[in-house]
Amino acid sequence: MPQIMTESVMDALTLRDLTLSYAGDAVVHGVDLALKHRELGCLLGPSGCGKSTLLRAIAGFQALDDGEILLAGETLSTPNAMVLPEHRGVGMVFQDVALFPHLTVSDNIAFGLTDWSKPEARTRISELLDLIGLQGLDARYPHELSGGQQQRVALARAMAPKPKLLLLDEPFSGLDTELRGRLASEVRAILKADGISALLVTHDQREAFDFADRIAVMRAGRIEQFDTAYQIYHEPVSEFVAHFVGPGEVIDASVSGIRSVSSPLGELASDSDFGLPVGCPVHVFLRPDDLIHDDHSPYRGRLIAKHFRGAHHVYEVQLESGVVLGCLAPSHHNHELGENVGLRLELEHLVVFPVKRLCLREDCVNARCTGCPA
């Protein structure tokens, strides 16, 4: 009979109910996360949300207050026991590339291969030089390389011993914006080609989108959503996630049906039930790409700002209610500031959040309702 693998064995990394403290204060609270084999994940969030502390715990540099960490089914950390960092089979790439300046590219990559035979090490170094696109540069020293090349060498050094998991702690933060985006995509391709699972920490949404299969958006020590970039952008589970991963604004609305709301832009329909009673106030979240400039639309607002983007403008339009919304307009539709312009919704999915205030209706029994009218 074939053996049935448990979930913890099937996952490359498993975090269960993790609680962590830093300088005596709890900074990570009850985090659960599972990263699959060969999957590239990302911890995305603002400074101070606990993402780097979480990464340090996975690497073995931080003790747990509660919970456990498993790698391919093997327990690495509990509050009472912890496998040493050097015995975890986990590689790490830091913000500072920290290459050895007196060693060549080849020798830097070989640093983690001391237990390998010389022929095996030479083969692995050659494989990695091909993979990172630095063939022929093996005899150069770090100061002879560009910033992007140095970062690829640091990546190859961490990958060399074929770790079960690779951790990347904001490795592109010292590079310019264009190079960061390009390198995140290149590193993704390199890790996919080598079949290594990895977890990136960043506060940059573009890096997360370029790099990860799934992204864990963190806030105040908790994971608010762990999903694909597409789902996080188009179907965020909270207003924090919605605002953090891209531009957008909210408009006040109220539930008018099982799948519809009444708003300043008319009746808006959803493809799923809200689970909220009719009359409940809600926020509708709209991104600039949800709104299209349309001169023939009955819904209009005053153009108060515009941003040229080449193929299109991003208009900032103020509705009669005072709410300012972004919308896209073709670049040849060059309206002047102060003009009244039309807006048309072009929604794939209606994003609605209940208004967080005390329910005033005594007969309301809906667990999700946070704002029924009296």
Side-chain angles (χ1 to χ4, degrees):
M1 174 178 285
Q3 182 180 3
I4 298 176
M5 298 179 71
T6 64
E7 182 180 352
S8 62
V9 173
M10 293 173 65
D11 291 327
L13 173 69
T14 306
L15 310 181
R16 291 179 180 160
D17 199 24
L18 240 60
T19 299
L20 304 167
S21 296
Y22 182 77
D25 296 322
V27 294
V28 173
H29 314 273
V31 163
D32 293 298
L33 182 143
L35 194 68
K36 300 173 184 175
H37 284 290
R38 297 175 178 264
E39 185 175 25
L40 304 182
C42 176
L43 300 176
L44 172 68
S47 297
C49 71
K51 56 187 185 295
S52 290
T53 302
L54 192 55
L55 202 75
R56 285 174 53 82
I58 298 168
F61 304 140
Q62 172 85 33
L64 310 188
D65 294 348
D66 203 358
E68 62 179 337
I69 300 173
L70 299 95
L71 189 64
E74 177 188 350
T75 300
L76 296 184
S77 294
T78 69
N80 302 316
M82 189 164 69
V83 175
L84 292 174
E86 59 268 29
H87 297 149
R88 292 189 166 218
V90 173
M92 194 148 185
V93 180
F94 298 95
Q95 293 181 24
D96 183 353
V97 292
L99 297 176
F100 298 108
H102 62 290
L103 297 181
T104 64
V105 167
S106 181
D107 289 339
N108 264 284
I109 295 174
F111 186 77
L113 299 177
T114 53
D115 294 335
W116 292 43
S117 69
K118 288 185 177 181
E120 288 175 329
R122 281 196 297 269
T123 299
R124 180 61 174 160
I125 292 167
S126 178
E127 289 174 353
L128 288 168
L129 286 170
D130 286 343
L131 203 56
I132 65 175
L134 295 183
Q135 310 95 321
L137 302 184
D138 53 304
R140 290 196 181 181
Y141 289 89
H143 71 273
E144 299 177 299
L145 305 175
S146 69
Q149 289 173 330
Q150 289 179 19
Q151 196 59 261
R152 287 198 289 270
V153 175
L155 175 68
R157 182 178 62 186
M159 292 170 58
K162 297 188 176 181
K164 298 175 184 175
L165 175 70
L166 187 65
L167 305 177
L168 302 101
D169 188 7
E170 303 214 39
F172 316 121
S173 60
L175 305 174
D176 63 72
T177 302
E178 183 179 350
L179 181 56
R180 285 166 66 172
R182 187 168 75 246
L183 198 55
S185 297
E186 290 177 1
V187 169
R188 172 185 170 83
I190 290 167
L191 293 174
K192 284 291 184 181
D194 210 40
I196 293 178
S197 303
L199 190 63
L200 168 74
V201 160
T202 184
H203 62 274
D204 187 288
Q205 297 89 331
R206 180 182 171 184
E207 276 181 28
F209 288 177
D210 285 337
F211 176 85
D213 298 316
R214 286 191 295 165
I215 300 164
V217 182
M218 293 190 66
R219 180 191 188 191
R222 303 182 189 277
I223 293 177
E224 294 222 351
Q225 187 170 356
F226 184 39
D227 218 326
T228 64
Y230 182 92
Q231 291 297 114
I232 285 172
Y233 186 84
H234 290 289
E235 299 187 27
V237 300
S238 69
E239 288 195 42
F240 170 79
V241 173
H243 283 288
F244 192 78
V245 300
E249 299 294 338
V250 297
I251 57 174
D252 292 327
S254 61
V255 176
S256 56
I258 296 175
R259 297 186 178 185
S260 63
V261 299
S262 178
S263 82
L265 295 173
E267 289 289 313
L268 308 180
S270 172
D271 54 1
S272 59
D273 296 352
F274 301 130
L276 297 169
V278 171
C280 276
V282 293
H283 285 159
V284 174
F285 184 83
L286 299 173
R287 298 198 185 279
D289 47 305
D290 293 327
L291 287 160
I292 305 298
H293 164 242
D294 183 352
D295 287 323
H296 303 292
S297 172
Y299 303 107
R300 310 188 72 79
R302 186 168 62 91
L303 181 60
I304 62 171
K306 60 182 181 180
H307 310 280
F308 185 66
R309 295 290 185 261
H312 64 269
H313 290 286
V314 177
Y315 282 171
E316 293 182 34
V317 180
Q318 187 173 44
L319 305 183
E320 189 175 320
S321 64
V323 172
V324 176
L325 297 176
C327 81
L328 301 185
S331 61
H332 56 275
H333 283 215
N334 193 20
H335 286 281
E336 297 297 328
L337 297 182
E339 284 189 50
N340 282 326
V341 297
L343 300 175
R344 174 170 52 84
L345 278 174
E346 199 164 277
L347 287 169
E348 289 292 327
H349 181 80
L350 186 63
V351 178
V352 171
F353 302 112
V355 176
K356 296 188 180 300
R357 63 179 174 82
L358 182 64
C359 180
L360 302 176
R361 237 178 62 181
E362 293 181 0
D363 62 335
C364 179
V365 295
N366 190 300
R368 285 190 60 208
C369 185
T370 55
C372 287

